[in-house]
Amino acid sequence: MRIFVITGAGVSAESGIPTFRGEDGYWRNFDPAKLATPEAFACDPKLVWQWYRERRQRIREAQPNAAHQAITKLAQYADEFLLVTQNVDDLHARAGVPAEKMVQIHGDIFVTRCSRCHFQFREEGRGGTPEPSVHCTQSGRLWSIAPTSAQREERSIAPTSAQREEIPMCPKCDELMRPGVVWFGEQLDPDKIDIVERFLARGHCDYAIVIGTTATFGYIIDWALRANASGGELIEVNPDETPLSTFATQRIHEPATIALPRLIDQICNP
Ligand code: NAD
Ligand code: ZN
């Protein structure tokens, strides 16, 4: 059986990671769709880094949920499987989807890369570990607004080291470093596109399952429809309607942690 899965921020929402477009998506009154842009970084790199550090920390403290686990089960069950996730978190990986069966099409939030040369590194450390300090050459303010551990929704103003406020600089070329994610308006990694294209070109998918995404990007709709072109199932799991809904052979208007374990049991035990 060949199975193609696409996930978006909705699959991690029940792990406590806000989606961009949900009620909880705004960060200190900033619109994520405007912060996740090259323009925002050029204008205020410190602000953008603050946002990413807080998101990293929130992801470190989160755990994979029943939907991530159900997708892992499907990856083990299928003869051929590919997961394309738009999520920059690592919850699919931590739930056990092997790297060779997954494409993080919008990058990896734990990667820090130079905005000019090819230098990059990935933060390690999980489960409540703080954001590691980075080598910096720019000075920063002494105050940051960080979520408290006791009540994550409330934000307190707490002093922190100057280092944490700073912007990492490339040790090779001294240019600003940035998070290793794809921002709105940027190109996708061609090597990742190739992996998806080759999977789709190799043959018919019995199931294409699209979970927790607004499907606003043309390539997401295109891949989902192509996976379904020769007549398999196209299943959408999302409490809301999306541009893909009209093409779905099955629509499940439920949260992912409710829908996925049941759906995947049905697929794995026909
Ligand atoms: P989005 O924020 O645009 O939309 C989230 C979608 O998930 C909505 O359609 C919503 O109805 C649905 N949803 C909400 N709760 C759900 C649940 N419990 N179960 C199932 N569906 C649920 O997210 P997107 O379409 O992935 O696009 C936003 C962009 O933001 C992506 O590029 C992504 O990289 C990035 N992003 C990533 C994360 C993450 O890594 N966890 C979080 C926020 C945004
Ligand atoms: Zn560099």
Side-chain angles (χ1 to χ4, degrees):
M1 188 177 285
R2 298 189 88 235
I3 301 180
F4 182 64
V5 176
I6 298 177
T7 62
V11 83
S12 295
E14 292 165 88
S15 292
I17 301 171
T19 65
F20 275 6
R21 295 171 179 89
E23 282 169 16
D24 201 17
Y26 275 75
W27 177 79
R28 297 187 219 165
N29 296 322
F30 290 105
D31 178 356
K34 295 199 178 109
L35 277 175
T37 62
E39 292 76 19
F41 189 68
C43 174
D44 195 343
K46 202 178 285 182
L47 177 77
V48 172
W49 263 115
Q50 263 182 351
W51 182 50
Y52 275 94
R53 288 198 175 108
E54 289 189 20
R55 289 180 63 202
R56 283 177 173 181
Q57 188 57 24
R58 195 156 185 161
I59 291 165
R60 284 192 188 92
E61 289 168 2
Q63 297 302 327
N65 64 43
H68 296 105
Q69 277 149 10
I71 293 165
T72 304
K73 193 172 162 192
L74 200 58
Q76 290 160 350
Y77 171 79
D79 302 306
E80 282 190 70
F81 179 91
L82 186 68
L83 166 63
V84 174
T85 184
Q86 295 165 88
N87 293 346
V88 297
D89 68 45
D90 59 354
L91 296 185
H92 283 303
R94 280 158 63 197
V97 177
E100 65 276 12
K101 293 188 179 181
M102 174 169 55
V103 175
Q104 275 190 295
I105 198 71
H106 291 164
D108 175 346
I109 197 169
F110 293 106
V111 168
T112 299
R113 69 175 171 86
C114 178
S115 38
R116 181 194 290 148
C117 75
H118 293 297
F119 180 76
Q120 65 171 48
F121 60 92
R122 188 172 193 281
E123 308 289 0
E124 299 298 342
R126 294 285 170 267
T129 52
E131 178 71 7
S133 54
V134 286
H135 36 268
C136 311
T137 58
Q138 293 201 348
S139 59
R141 285 183 295 118
L142 282 169
W143 298 85
S144 82
I145 303 173
T148 60
S149 52
Q151 203 163 6
R152 304 200 46 81
E153 289 73 29
E154 280 181 13
R155 293 176 188 277
S156 69
I157 300 179
T160 182
S161 71
Q163 249 185 344
R164 285 200 52 167
E165 282 298 285
E166 292 165 15
I167 304 162
M169 304 299 289
C170 178
K172 303 260 185 229
C173 73
D174 210 31
E175 182 56 82
L176 296 186
M177 295 193 77
R178 51 165 284 178
V181 302
V182 180
W183 282 328
F184 291 109
E186 293 187 318
Q187 301 291 316
L188 301 179
D189 179 342
D191 293 339
K192 292 183 179 175
I193 296 177
D194 268 3
I195 296 172
V196 184
E197 292 290 333
R198 275 190 268 118
F199 184 88
L200 293 178
R202 267 205 304 276
H204 164 86
C205 295
D206 300 282
Y207 290 93
I209 308 174
V210 182
I211 308 148
T213 174
T214 43
T216 40
F217 304 112
Y219 45 89
I220 295 296
I221 298 178
D222 180 53
W223 286 335
L225 295 182
R226 277 175 42 215
N228 179 242
S230 50
E233 292 275 344
L234 173 56
I235 303 175
E236 181 177 62
V237 177
N238 196 316
D240 291 343
E241 293 280 314
T242 80
L244 262 182
S245 304
T246 52
F247 302 101
T249 57
Q250 193 181 336
R251 274 179 270 166
I252 307 178
H253 290 298
E254 286 177 329
T257 59
I258 307 286
L260 260 291
R262 189 185 63 228
L263 174 69
I264 277 146
D265 264 353
Q266 286 163 4
I267 294 173
C268 298
N269 307 297

PDB file of all heavy atoms in Angstrom, residues 17-44:
ATOM      1  N   ILE A  17       0.998  23.825  20.599  1.00  0.00           N
ATOM      2  CA  ILE A  17       1.760  24.721  19.717  1.00  0.00           C
ATOM      3  C   ILE A  17       0.757  25.487  18.855  1.00  0.00           C
ATOM      4  O   ILE A  17       0.029  24.866  18.073  1.00  0.00           O
ATOM      5  CB  ILE A  17       2.747  23.917  18.851  1.00  0.00           C
ATOM      6  CG1 ILE A  17       3.706  23.143  19.777  1.00  0.00           C
ATOM      7  CG2 ILE A  17       3.518  24.841  17.920  1.00  0.00           C
ATOM      8  CD1 ILE A  17       4.588  22.159  19.075  1.00  0.00           C
ATOM      9  N   PRO A  18       0.681  26.800  19.024  1.00  0.00           N
ATOM     10  CA  PRO A  18      -0.359  27.547  18.306  1.00  0.00           C
ATOM     11  C   PRO A  18      -0.196  27.461  16.794  1.00  0.00           C
ATOM     12  O   PRO A  18       0.924  27.437  16.290  1.00  0.00           O
ATOM     13  CB  PRO A  18      -0.149  29.002  18.766  1.00  0.00           C
ATOM     14  CG  PRO A  18       0.797  28.959  19.910  1.00  0.00           C
ATOM     15  CD  PRO A  18       1.547  27.669  19.821  1.00  0.00           C
ATOM     16  N   THR A  19      -1.321  27.426  16.086  1.00  0.00           N
ATOM     17  CA  THR A  19      -1.296  27.563  14.627  1.00  0.00           C
ATOM     18  C   THR A  19      -1.084  29.048  14.324  1.00  0.00           C
ATOM     19  O   THR A  19      -1.159  29.891  15.220  1.00  0.00           O
ATOM     20  CB  THR A  19      -2.621  27.097  13.999  1.00  0.00           C
ATOM     21  OG1 THR A  19      -3.656  27.977  14.425  1.00  0.00           O
ATOM     22  CG2 THR A  19      -2.962  25.664  14.408  1.00  0.00           C
ATOM     23  N   PHE A  20      -0.853  29.370  13.065  1.00  0.00           N
ATOM     24  CA  PHE A  20      -0.684  30.783  12.705  1.00  0.00           C
ATOM     25  C   PHE A  20      -2.028  31.487  12.627  1.00  0.00           C
ATOM     26  O   PHE A  20      -2.142  32.658  12.949  1.00  0.00           O
ATOM     27  CB  PHE A  20       0.019  30.919  11.348  1.00  0.00           C
ATOM     28  CG  PHE A  20       1.520  30.874  11.449  1.00  0.00           C
ATOM     29  CD1 PHE A  20       2.154  30.604  12.650  1.00  0.00           C
ATOM     30  CD2 PHE A  20       2.305  31.121  10.332  1.00  0.00           C
ATOM     31  CE1 PHE A  20       3.529  30.556  12.741  1.00  0.00           C
ATOM     32  CE2 PHE A  20       3.686  31.085  10.409  1.00  0.00           C
ATOM     33  CZ  PHE A  20       4.298  30.800  11.604  1.00  0.00           C
ATOM     34  N   ARG A  21      -3.021  30.759  12.168  1.00  0.00           N
ATOM     35  CA  ARG A  21      -4.285  31.438  11.888  1.00  0.00           C
ATOM     36  C   ARG A  21      -5.348  31.210  12.955  1.00  0.00           C
ATOM     37  O   ARG A  21      -6.433  31.756  12.866  1.00  0.00           O
ATOM     38  CB  ARG A  21      -4.790  31.025  10.503  1.00  0.00           C
ATOM     39  CG  ARG A  21      -3.840  31.513   9.419  1.00  0.00           C
ATOM     40  CD  ARG A  21      -4.154  30.970   8.050  1.00  0.00           C
ATOM     41  NE  ARG A  21      -3.236  31.489   7.044  1.00  0.00           N
ATOM     42  CZ  ARG A  21      -2.079  30.933   6.714  1.00  0.00           C
ATOM     43  NH1 ARG A  21      -1.676  29.838   7.304  1.00  0.00           N
ATOM     44  NH2 ARG A  21      -1.302  31.471   5.799  1.00  0.00           N
ATOM     45  N   GLY A  22      -5.035  30.423  13.955  1.00  0.00           N
ATOM     46  CA  GLY A  22      -5.990  30.181  15.039  1.00  0.00           C
ATOM     47  C   GLY A  22      -6.043  31.357  16.010  1.00  0.00           C
ATOM     48  O   GLY A  22      -5.254  32.298  15.906  1.00  0.00           O
ATOM     49  N   GLU A  23      -6.976  31.257  16.971  1.00  0.00           N
ATOM     50  CA  GLU A  23      -7.165  32.337  17.963  1.00  0.00           C
ATOM     51  C   GLU A  23      -5.894  32.628  18.745  1.00  0.00           C
ATOM     52  O   GLU A  23      -5.609  33.758  19.107  1.00  0.00           O
ATOM     53  CB  GLU A  23      -8.239  31.921  18.978  1.00  0.00           C
ATOM     54  CG  GLU A  23      -9.642  32.073  18.445  1.00  0.00           C
ATOM     55  CD  GLU A  23     -10.650  31.404  19.355  1.00  0.00           C
ATOM     56  OE1 GLU A  23     -10.293  31.099  20.518  1.00  0.00           O
ATOM     57  OE2 GLU A  23     -11.785  31.183  18.892  1.00  0.00           O
ATOM     58  N   ASP A  24      -5.145  31.553  19.019  1.00  0.00           N
ATOM     59  CA  ASP A  24      -3.955  31.643  19.854  1.00  0.00           C
ATOM     60  C   ASP A  24      -2.714  32.024  19.022  1.00  0.00           C
ATOM     61  O   ASP A  24      -1.608  32.084  19.527  1.00  0.00           O
ATOM     62  CB  ASP A  24      -3.741  30.255  20.500  1.00  0.00           C
ATOM     63  CG  ASP A  24      -2.895  30.326  21.745  1.00  0.00           C
ATOM     64  OD1 ASP A  24      -2.759  31.440  22.287  1.00  0.00           O
ATOM     65  OD2 ASP A  24      -2.375  29.278  22.172  1.00  0.00           O
ATOM     66  N   GLY A  25      -2.921  32.286  17.732  1.00  0.00           N
ATOM     67  CA  GLY A  25      -1.792  32.429  16.815  1.00  0.00           C
ATOM     68  C   GLY A  25      -1.020  33.726  16.963  1.00  0.00           C
ATOM     69  O   GLY A  25       0.154  33.784  16.667  1.00  0.00           O
ATOM     70  N   TYR A  26      -1.673  34.762  17.432  1.00  0.00           N
ATOM     71  CA  TYR A  26      -0.980  36.055  17.560  1.00  0.00           C
ATOM     72  C   TYR A  26       0.042  36.032  18.686  1.00  0.00           C
ATOM     73  O   TYR A  26      -0.173  35.398  19.707  1.00  0.00           O
ATOM     74  CB  TYR A  26      -1.988  37.184  17.755  1.00  0.00           C
ATOM     75  CG  TYR A  26      -2.506  37.689  16.433  1.00  0.00           C
ATOM     76  CD1 TYR A  26      -3.422  36.949  15.709  1.00  0.00           C
ATOM     77  CD2 TYR A  26      -2.026  38.876  15.892  1.00  0.00           C
ATOM     78  CE1 TYR A  26      -3.876  37.380  14.481  1.00  0.00           C
ATOM     79  CE2 TYR A  26      -2.459  39.318  14.667  1.00  0.00           C
ATOM     80  CZ  TYR A  26      -3.389  38.569  13.966  1.00  0.00           C
ATOM     81  OH  TYR A  26      -3.808  39.007  12.743  1.00  0.00           O
ATOM     82  N   TRP A  27       1.131  36.713  18.504  1.00  0.00           N
ATOM     83  CA  TRP A  27       2.205  36.768  19.506  1.00  0.00           C
ATOM     84  C   TRP A  27       2.436  38.233  19.844  1.00  0.00           C
ATOM     85  O   TRP A  27       2.855  38.999  18.975  1.00  0.00           O
ATOM     86  CB  TRP A  27       3.463  36.127  18.909  1.00  0.00           C
ATOM     87  CG  TRP A  27       4.684  36.171  19.782  1.00  0.00           C
ATOM     88  CD1 TRP A  27       4.972  35.358  20.836  1.00  0.00           C
ATOM     89  CD2 TRP A  27       5.807  37.045  19.627  1.00  0.00           C
ATOM     90  NE1 TRP A  27       6.200  35.685  21.351  1.00  0.00           N
ATOM     91  CE2 TRP A  27       6.732  36.718  20.642  1.00  0.00           C
ATOM     92  CE3 TRP A  27       6.119  38.091  18.746  1.00  0.00           C
ATOM     93  CZ2 TRP A  27       7.945  37.369  20.788  1.00  0.00           C
ATOM     94  CZ3 TRP A  27       7.328  38.738  18.899  1.00  0.00           C
ATOM     95  CH2 TRP A  27       8.226  38.377  19.907  1.00  0.00           C
ATOM     96  N   ARG A  28       2.098  38.596  21.075  1.00  0.00           N
ATOM     97  CA  ARG A  28       2.232  40.004  21.503  1.00  0.00           C
ATOM     98  C   ARG A  28       1.648  40.955  20.465  1.00  0.00           C
ATOM     99  O   ARG A  28       2.289  41.932  20.067  1.00  0.00           O
ATOM    100  CB  ARG A  28       3.693  40.368  21.726  1.00  0.00           C
ATOM    101  CG  ARG A  28       4.319  39.581  22.817  1.00  0.00           C
ATOM    102  CD  ARG A  28       5.698  40.135  23.080  1.00  0.00           C
ATOM    103  NE  ARG A  28       6.613  39.061  23.340  1.00  0.00           N
ATOM    104  CZ  ARG A  28       7.922  39.170  23.333  1.00  0.00           C
ATOM    105  NH1 ARG A  28       8.476  40.314  23.050  1.00  0.00           N
ATOM    106  NH2 ARG A  28       8.665  38.153  23.614  1.00  0.00           N
ATOM    107  N   ASN A  29       0.482  40.614  19.962  1.00  0.00           N
ATOM    108  CA  ASN A  29      -0.237  41.423  18.972  1.00  0.00           C
ATOM    109  C   ASN A  29       0.424  41.487  17.600  1.00  0.00           C
ATOM    110  O   ASN A  29       0.018  42.262  16.762  1.00  0.00           O
ATOM    111  CB  ASN A  29      -0.480  42.850  19.478  1.00  0.00           C
ATOM    112  CG  ASN A  29      -1.372  42.833  20.691  1.00  0.00           C
ATOM    113  OD1 ASN A  29      -2.308  42.022  20.748  1.00  0.00           O
ATOM    114  ND2 ASN A  29      -1.080  43.666  21.670  1.00  0.00           N
ATOM    115  N   PHE A  30       1.457  40.667  17.396  1.00  0.00           N
ATOM    116  CA  PHE A  30       2.054  40.612  16.054  1.00  0.00           C
ATOM    117  C   PHE A  30       1.408  39.490  15.263  1.00  0.00           C
ATOM    118  O   PHE A  30       1.165  38.407  15.790  1.00  0.00           O
ATOM    119  CB  PHE A  30       3.566  40.355  16.132  1.00  0.00           C
ATOM    120  CG  PHE A  30       4.341  41.512  16.674  1.00  0.00           C
ATOM    121  CD1 PHE A  30       4.840  41.493  17.971  1.00  0.00           C
ATOM    122  CD2 PHE A  30       4.575  42.642  15.879  1.00  0.00           C
ATOM    123  CE1 PHE A  30       5.563  42.556  18.477  1.00  0.00           C
ATOM    124  CE2 PHE A  30       5.296  43.715  16.388  1.00  0.00           C
ATOM    125  CZ  PHE A  30       5.785  43.675  17.680  1.00  0.00           C
ATOM    126  N   ASP A  31       1.189  39.744  14.001  1.00  0.00           N
ATOM    127  CA  ASP A  31       0.632  38.736  13.104  1.00  0.00           C
ATOM    128  C   ASP A  31       1.774  37.851  12.604  1.00  0.00           C
ATOM    129  O   ASP A  31       2.693  38.340  11.949  1.00  0.00           O
ATOM    130  CB  ASP A  31      -0.044  39.475  11.933  1.00  0.00           C
ATOM    131  CG  ASP A  31      -0.619  38.510  10.911  1.00  0.00           C
ATOM    132  OD1 ASP A  31      -0.428  37.290  11.054  1.00  0.00           O
ATOM    133  OD2 ASP A  31      -1.271  39.008   9.973  1.00  0.00           O
ATOM    134  N   PRO A  32       1.723  36.535  12.904  1.00  0.00           N
ATOM    135  CA  PRO A  32       2.807  35.647  12.470  1.00  0.00           C
ATOM    136  C   PRO A  32       3.043  35.693  10.967  1.00  0.00           C
ATOM    137  O   PRO A  32       4.176  35.580  10.507  1.00  0.00           O
ATOM    138  CB  PRO A  32       2.324  34.255  12.885  1.00  0.00           C
ATOM    139  CG  PRO A  32       1.322  34.491  13.935  1.00  0.00           C
ATOM    140  CD  PRO A  32       0.683  35.818  13.645  1.00  0.00           C
ATOM    141  N   ALA A  33       1.970  35.889  10.209  1.00  0.00           N
ATOM    142  CA  ALA A  33       2.133  35.935   8.749  1.00  0.00           C
ATOM    143  C   ALA A  33       2.997  37.124   8.320  1.00  0.00           C
ATOM    144  O   ALA A  33       3.562  37.132   7.232  1.00  0.00           O
ATOM    145  CB  ALA A  33       0.774  36.004   8.067  1.00  0.00           C
ATOM    146  N   LYS A  34       3.110  38.110   9.227  1.00  0.00           N
ATOM    147  CA  LYS A  34       3.991  39.253   8.902  1.00  0.00           C
ATOM    148  C   LYS A  34       5.373  39.107   9.536  1.00  0.00           C
ATOM    149  O   LYS A  34       6.338  39.675   9.039  1.00  0.00           O
ATOM    150  CB  LYS A  34       3.332  40.553   9.365  1.00  0.00           C
ATOM    151  CG  LYS A  34       2.046  40.830   8.587  1.00  0.00           C
ATOM    152  CD  LYS A  34       1.630  42.289   8.679  1.00  0.00           C
ATOM    153  CE  LYS A  34       0.379  42.526   7.861  1.00  0.00           C
ATOM    154  NZ  LYS A  34      -0.802  42.761   8.709  1.00  0.00           N
ATOM    155  N   LEU A  35       5.431  38.342  10.656  1.00  0.00           N
ATOM    156  CA  LEU A  35       6.738  38.139  11.303  1.00  0.00           C
ATOM    157  C   LEU A  35       7.580  37.117  10.545  1.00  0.00           C
ATOM    158  O   LEU A  35       8.811  37.207  10.542  1.00  0.00           O
ATOM    159  CB  LEU A  35       6.537  37.625  12.738  1.00  0.00           C
ATOM    160  CG  LEU A  35       6.251  38.657  13.815  1.00  0.00           C
ATOM    161  CD1 LEU A  35       5.971  37.944  15.135  1.00  0.00           C
ATOM    162  CD2 LEU A  35       7.419  39.619  13.991  1.00  0.00           C
ATOM    163  N   ALA A  36       6.906  36.123   9.945  1.00  0.00           N
ATOM    164  CA  ALA A  36       7.628  35.048   9.245  1.00  0.00           C
ATOM    165  C   ALA A  36       7.918  35.477   7.813  1.00  0.00           C
ATOM    166  O   ALA A  36       7.496  34.831   6.852  1.00  0.00           O
ATOM    167  CB  ALA A  36       6.802  33.761   9.284  1.00  0.00           C
ATOM    168  N   THR A  37       8.641  36.572   7.684  1.00  0.00           N
ATOM    169  CA  THR A  37       8.958  37.096   6.350  1.00  0.00           C
ATOM    170  C   THR A  37      10.395  37.635   6.336  1.00  0.00           C
ATOM    171  O   THR A  37      10.895  38.101   7.364  1.00  0.00           O
ATOM    172  CB  THR A  37       8.033  38.284   5.966  1.00  0.00           C
ATOM    173  OG1 THR A  37       8.245  39.348   6.907  1.00  0.00           O
ATOM    174  CG2 THR A  37       6.565  37.885   5.953  1.00  0.00           C
ATOM    175  N   PRO A  38      11.030  37.634   5.181  1.00  0.00           N
ATOM    176  CA  PRO A  38      12.360  38.246   5.078  1.00  0.00           C
ATOM    177  C   PRO A  38      12.306  39.739   5.388  1.00  0.00           C
ATOM    178  O   PRO A  38      13.259  40.289   5.946  1.00  0.00           O
ATOM    179  CB  PRO A  38      12.752  38.024   3.606  1.00  0.00           C
ATOM    180  CG  PRO A  38      11.750  37.090   3.016  1.00  0.00           C
ATOM    181  CD  PRO A  38      10.567  37.029   3.909  1.00  0.00           C
ATOM    182  N   GLU A  39      11.199  40.377   5.084  1.00  0.00           N
ATOM    183  CA  GLU A  39      11.060  41.817   5.340  1.00  0.00           C
ATOM    184  C   GLU A  39      11.099  42.103   6.842  1.00  0.00           C
ATOM    185  O   GLU A  39      11.749  43.046   7.291  1.00  0.00           O
ATOM    186  CB  GLU A  39       9.751  42.351   4.747  1.00  0.00           C
ATOM    187  CG  GLU A  39       9.692  42.351   3.221  1.00  0.00           C
ATOM    188  CD  GLU A  39       9.451  40.962   2.625  1.00  0.00           C
ATOM    189  OE1 GLU A  39       8.968  40.060   3.354  1.00  0.00           O
ATOM    190  OE2 GLU A  39       9.752  40.767   1.438  1.00  0.00           O
ATOM    191  N   ALA A  40      10.369  41.300   7.616  1.00  0.00           N
ATOM    192  CA  ALA A  40      10.364  41.497   9.076  1.00  0.00           C
ATOM    193  C   ALA A  40      11.768  41.315   9.635  1.00  0.00           C
ATOM    194  O   ALA A  40      12.205  42.072  10.508  1.00  0.00           O
ATOM    195  CB  ALA A  40       9.389  40.518   9.736  1.00  0.00           C
ATOM    196  N   PHE A  41      12.488  40.302   9.129  1.00  0.00           N
ATOM    197  CA  PHE A  41      13.838  40.036   9.635  1.00  0.00           C
ATOM    198  C   PHE A  41      14.778  41.184   9.271  1.00  0.00           C
ATOM    199  O   PHE A  41      15.601  41.604  10.088  1.00  0.00           O
ATOM    200  CB  PHE A  41      14.354  38.709   9.063  1.00  0.00           C
ATOM    201  CG  PHE A  41      15.637  38.252   9.689  1.00  0.00           C
ATOM    202  CD1 PHE A  41      15.669  37.847  11.028  1.00  0.00           C
ATOM    203  CD2 PHE A  41      16.809  38.218   8.964  1.00  0.00           C
ATOM    204  CE1 PHE A  41      16.856  37.426  11.626  1.00  0.00           C
ATOM    205  CE2 PHE A  41      18.002  37.800   9.544  1.00  0.00           C
ATOM    206  CZ  PHE A  41      18.020  37.404  10.875  1.00  0.00           C
ATOM    207  N   ALA A  42      14.638  41.710   8.064  1.00  0.00           N
ATOM    208  CA  ALA A  42      15.493  42.828   7.645  1.00  0.00           C
ATOM    209  C   ALA A  42      15.201  44.060   8.496  1.00  0.00           C
ATOM    210  O   ALA A  42      16.097  44.813   8.861  1.00  0.00           O
ATOM    211  CB  ALA A  42      15.263  43.132   6.163  1.00  0.00           C
ATOM    212  N   CYS A  43      13.948  44.223   8.868  1.00  0.00           N
ATOM    213  CA  CYS A  43      13.517  45.420   9.586  1.00  0.00           C
ATOM    214  C   CYS A  43      13.855  45.329  11.082  1.00  0.00           C
ATOM    215  O   CYS A  43      14.317  46.294  11.679  1.00  0.00           O
ATOM    216  CB  CYS A  43      12.014  45.554   9.359  1.00  0.00           C
ATOM    217  SG  CYS A  43      11.240  46.833  10.265  1.00  0.00           S
ATOM    218  N   ASP A  44      13.640  44.133  11.682  1.00  0.00           N
ATOM    219  CA  ASP A  44      13.840  43.984  13.127  1.00  0.00           C
ATOM    220  C   ASP A  44      14.266  42.544  13.458  1.00  0.00           C
ATOM    221  O   ASP A  44      13.481  41.755  13.971  1.00  0.00           O
ATOM    222  CB  ASP A  44      12.542  44.347  13.866  1.00  0.00           C
ATOM    223  CG  ASP A  44      12.784  44.567  15.346  1.00  0.00           C
ATOM    224  OD1 ASP A  44      13.841  44.137  15.855  1.00  0.00           O
ATOM    225  OD2 ASP A  44      11.901  45.146  16.003  1.00  0.00           O
TER     226      ASP A  44
END
